[in-house]
Amino acid sequence: MSELVASLDVPSRSSRWIGACRDFIGRRPLGAIGAGVIVLMFVAALAAPLIAPYDPVAVDFAAMLAPPSAEHWLGTDAFGRDVLSRLIYGSQTALVVGFGASLLGATIGALIGVASAYFGGRIDLFLQRIMDVLLSFPLIILALALVAILGNSIPNLIIAIMVPMIPRCALVIRSSALSIREMPYVDAARAAGFGHSRIILRHMLPNVMASYLVMLTAFLGQAILLEASLSFLGLGVQEPLPAWGLMLRGAAVEFAETAPWMAIFPGVAISLAVFAFNLFGDSLRDALDPRLRTQ
Amino acid sequence: MGAYLVKRFLLMFPTLLGVALVTFLLIRVIPGDVVELRYSGDRGAVSQEVIDQERARIGLDQPVWKQLGTWLIGMAKLDFGTSMWTGAPIWDEIRLRFALSLQVAIMATIVAVLLALPLGVLAALKQDTWIDYAVRIFSIAGLAVPSFWLGIMFILVLLIVFKWLPPMVYTPFWVDPWANMQQLIWPALAVGYRYSAVATRMTRSAMLEVLREDYIRTARAKGLWQSLLLRRHALKNAMLPVMTVVGVEFAFLIGGLVVTEQVFNLNGLGLLFVQAVSHRDYTLIQALVMLVAGIFIVMNFLLDVAFAWLDPRVRYA
């Protein structure tokens, strides 16, 4: 008996994490590749001043539209700014806007979804109608209108991208929360006399975590894509701030024939980032909640 | 079924009204109005009197609730009024651009469905083989590559490799189908790739679900041909969720082509919307949003009707 107890060594918190990560990499190689690219992006964003060969906003008219070379690996743009350095710094913008918008959007959406499922009845009906209304606007149209109202700074951009995500998350979370509402432990919490906010925040919200995380990772890629689209239209991040969508605007199309590197590389960066988040999100969904459908 | 349809039909109206209210109020929060913008070029050379007169002429001096009332009543009569910027009837502004956006959306749908069905079914049948992995990577990439950048790449390749550019002036299909196709096939392909990715993923997961059902095993056990089994038993049942994503994406595409239209210099609804917002052309913005959201809401209604018709479980639930 004592032998049995001894052999049941409880793994420490950190080794459990490492074990889970190793398991994830082994079973879902595609997801692990995605995670690897995401880590690289973070490193690039955080260490941008160290790794970027040039100042991303430094104008150099002597090196205008220079093709890729030993000095400028990915060439320069119409102002002689180094494309590689702008891409590296651009990852900061993409990550800040992507994480800001999807964290806020998914969290507010999850709260609305859980509250909607918990209260039911009229409140549920009312919240669902509001979500229906928000869902009826195409993503880009709603974001465009919001940017026009708020003006284009980075925080406003985050709000504009966040709002269209709210109803999409609320819908999914509500359906997961509906089944949780019927669980005995929610009844028990209610019987114990806990208030609504405590039951929602402490008992229901943690149990829709799987759906929440899946929605969050699915939103990350979309948010980066939407930011790039808005910046490309000139309604997002403004010059001279480096952002991938912005780099594709104007001169990149004008000089596409003579300086194709200006149009190619920022698009590759956007695609790679969104691709990585989608790969990771897909594998996370398969691991956490295979029945959930995103996109 | 009758009661369900009536309920579902009536549910469209509060949503439409909500969209109308949100749009009406949101755009009035945008700083500046159409009159200010029109005279802003003259830099204060225009007297306040003229500005007030102009505002009164297009009804902007009325209290907001009265403007809302006029607009809602007009819409109930299917009269969207005139554009505040050009003064032309809204329908004249929208008509040609709507035809263009609709055509691109239809062509993109054809591209998407032609790609998605075979790829999705193939991936599901060969689950966890290299074919499945290839299809999945192809479709996840479709979600990742921005359509507007893909459009730029198309133009670049056509220009550098083939020394050819698609025509830049829009020709309606009924005037010259060939010239029309030469121009619109590229945006349709650029958007269609993303669209097909969404549909492929749905086809694959729906097929996987259906293939695990008992009736498929029964059909296999009695020795049904694979092709017949796929078409009659599996694909038919997997089509419902695929239909939904295709329908919803199609509805969104009509107004959501904003960025792709910019790349290909197409005068579609999306570009018109951007212009309308920058001119603060309230009546035009309102009409465009109602059109796009209306298409989406009606499309959802039609999908639900189709669902109830095809799947008895829905109508008795």
Side-chain angles (χ1 to χ4, degrees):
Chain A
M1 188 64 202
S2 64
E3 245 171 56
L4 192 82
V5 173
S7 69
L8 277 174
D9 63 320
V10 180
S12 72
R13 222 189 153 84
S14 63
S15 74
R16 238 192 310 162
W17 260 103
I18 294 169
C21 288
R22 199 174 291 157
D23 199 44
F24 185 81
I25 295 170
R27 279 203 211 156
R28 309 194 188 277
L30 285 182
I33 293 173
V37 176
I38 295 170
V39 170
L40 269 180
M41 246 180 100
F42 266 100
V43 172
L46 291 174
L50 299 175
I51 44 177
Y54 292 88
D55 181 347
V57 292
V59 174
D60 178 4
F61 289 112
M64 256 166 31
L65 297 173
S69 64
E71 291 101 79
H72 298 280
W73 287 5
L74 302 182
T76 62
D77 67 6
F79 295 101
R81 298 176 298 195
D82 183 53
V83 170
L84 177 64
S85 304
R86 287 181 71 73
L87 284 185
I88 292 173
Y89 274 92
S91 65
Q92 293 178 341
T93 317
L95 284 176
V96 166
V97 176
F99 268 92
S102 32
L103 267 175
L104 278 171
T107 307
I108 297 174
L111 279 174
I112 292 177
V114 171
S116 192
Y118 174 77
F119 290 113
R122 284 229 183 112
I123 297 182
D124 183 33
L125 206 66
F126 177 67
L127 285 174
Q128 285 314 302
R129 288 290 78 72
I130 295 182
M131 295 300 118
D132 271 358
V133 168
L134 283 181
L135 271 178
S136 309
F137 296 93
L139 220 68
I140 185 104
I141 296 274
L142 190 53
L144 263 172
L146 288 169
V147 169
I149 293 166
L150 300 166
N152 35 24
S153 68
I154 296 240
N156 290 342
L157 202 55
I158 291 176
I159 296 175
I161 296 172
M162 165 200 92
V163 173
M165 313 239 149
I166 293 175
R168 288 168 176 81
C169 185
L171 216 68
V172 173
I173 299 284
R174 175 177 170 272
S175 61
S176 325
L178 273 178
S179 56
I180 289 170
R181 192 182 59 165
E182 308 303 327
M183 292 284 173
Y185 59 79
V186 174
D187 279 340
R190 213 173 294 152
F194 292 151
H196 294 318
S197 59
R198 188 188 162 117
I199 297 178
I200 289 177
L201 292 176
R202 300 280 292 275
H203 296 263
M204 293 185 66
L205 212 52
N207 287 293
V208 293
M209 252 328 172
S211 320
Y212 172 79
L213 282 177
V214 170
M215 293 309 285
L216 181 67
T217 43
F219 286 163
L220 274 166
Q222 288 183 40
I224 293 178
L225 215 50
L226 202 52
E227 182 265 310
S229 309
L230 288 173
S231 298
F232 176 74
L233 285 176
L235 295 162
V237 180
Q238 298 296 307
E239 290 280 7
L241 217 66
W244 297 338
L246 190 60
M247 292 172 72
L248 287 170
R249 183 177 159 73
V253 181
E254 246 169 75
F255 296 114
E257 200 181 353
T258 47
W261 52 90
M262 268 171 70
I264 293 173
F265 297 120
V268 171
I270 300 170
S271 309
L272 195 64
V274 180
F275 186 67
F277 277 112
N278 285 349
L279 269 186
F280 180 66
D282 257 25
S283 305
L284 199 68
R285 180 199 57 197
D286 290 345
L288 291 176
D289 193 353
R291 294 199 68 83
L292 211 66
R293 283 189 180 135
T294 50
Q295 286 195 332
Chain B
M1 176 118 176
Y4 171 80
L5 284 188
V6 171
K7 202 177 130 202
R8 186 60 193 76
F9 180 75
L10 291 178
L11 215 54
M12 287 199 294
F13 293 96
T15 315
L16 271 172
L17 188 66
V19 171
L21 284 176
V22 169
T23 314
F24 186 87
L25 295 175
L26 266 186
I27 55 175
R28 276 164 179 75
V29 185
I30 305 179
D33 68 16
V34 65
V35 180
E36 247 172 68
L37 271 157
R38 182 172 303 153
Y39 293 128
S40 65
D42 302 337
R43 231 169 269 246
V46 182
S47 69
Q48 189 61 38
E49 205 176 313
V50 178
I51 291 183
D52 286 342
Q53 259 175 17
E54 183 66 12
R55 282 213 175 109
R57 192 180 64 78
I58 52 179
L60 278 176
D61 60 335
Q62 305 271 338
V64 170
W65 61 268
K66 222 170 182 174
Q67 292 181 36
L68 177 66
T70 322
W71 177 50
L72 287 179
I73 291 168
M75 234 184 356
K77 292 188 261 181
L78 289 180
D79 171 19
F80 286 101
T82 53
S83 157
M84 286 183 177
W85 182 261
T86 61
I90 297 274
W91 185 236
D92 288 349
E93 293 280 331
I94 290 182
R95 205 171 42 205
L96 258 189
R97 296 153 191 260
F98 180 64
L100 188 147
S101 290
L102 188 68
Q103 195 195 339
V104 175
I106 291 174
M107 284 165 65
T109 308
I110 296 173
V111 171
V113 172
L114 285 182
L115 273 175
L117 288 188
L119 286 180
V121 171
L122 196 67
L125 287 177
K126 310 273 181 200
Q127 195 191 1
D128 289 327
T129 63
W130 67 269
I131 297 179
D132 182 29
Y133 273 91
V135 170
R136 280 169 69 187
I137 290 177
F138 180 73
S139 59
I140 297 180
L143 294 178
V145 177
S147 332
F148 66 90
W149 180 68
L150 197 59
I152 298 176
M153 289 301 107
F154 282 165
I155 294 180
L156 204 61
V157 169
L158 289 174
L159 197 65
I160 293 177
V161 180
F162 297 98
K163 310 271 178 236
W164 180 80
L165 257 188
M168 280 294 151
V169 182
Y170 172 61
T171 327
F173 187 76
W174 55 88
V175 175
D176 183 355
W178 178 237
N180 169 280
M181 278 295 169
Q182 276 184 340
Q183 186 190 18
L184 295 191
I185 188 72
W186 309 107
L189 281 175
V191 182
Y193 179 33
R194 199 202 89 86
Y195 190 176
S196 80
V198 179
T200 306
R201 284 154 61 88
M202 190 51 94
T203 311
R204 177 179 173 274
S205 70
M207 272 304 272
L208 280 178
E209 224 162 84
V210 169
L211 286 175
R212 297 211 175 96
E213 298 278 351
D214 289 337
Y215 59 81
I216 295 293
R217 201 173 328 133
T218 311
R220 275 225 176 101
K222 70 178 193 191
L224 204 64
W225 293 337
Q226 177 82 352
S227 65
L228 196 66
L229 175 127
L230 281 182
R231 254 182 294 130
R232 278 254 185 93
H233 296 247
L235 199 56
K236 227 177 186 178
N237 286 292
M239 269 309 86
L240 287 180
V242 178
M243 232 169 63
T244 310
V245 286
V246 170
V248 168
E249 284 284 318
F250 174 74
F252 272 157
L253 221 51
I254 295 175
L257 285 170
V258 186
V259 202
T260 312
E261 283 171 7
Q262 180 99 5
V263 171
F264 288 98
N265 200 21
L266 294 176
N267 236 332
L269 288 185
L271 214 57
L272 186 64
F273 180 79
V274 176
Q275 285 164 4
V277 169
S278 66
H279 290 158
R280 310 287 185 270
D281 190 344
Y282 293 162
T283 41
L284 185 54
I285 301 174
Q286 286 165 184
L288 279 173
V289 173
M290 289 315 286
L291 180 70
V292 172
I295 292 173
F296 174 75
I297 290 168
V298 171
M299 176 62 87
N300 262 314
F301 168 69
L302 293 178
L303 284 170
D304 278 356
V305 173
F307 254 63
W309 183 51
L310 293 170
D311 188 348
R313 284 172 304 182
V314 176
R315 73 184 102 119
Y316 295 120

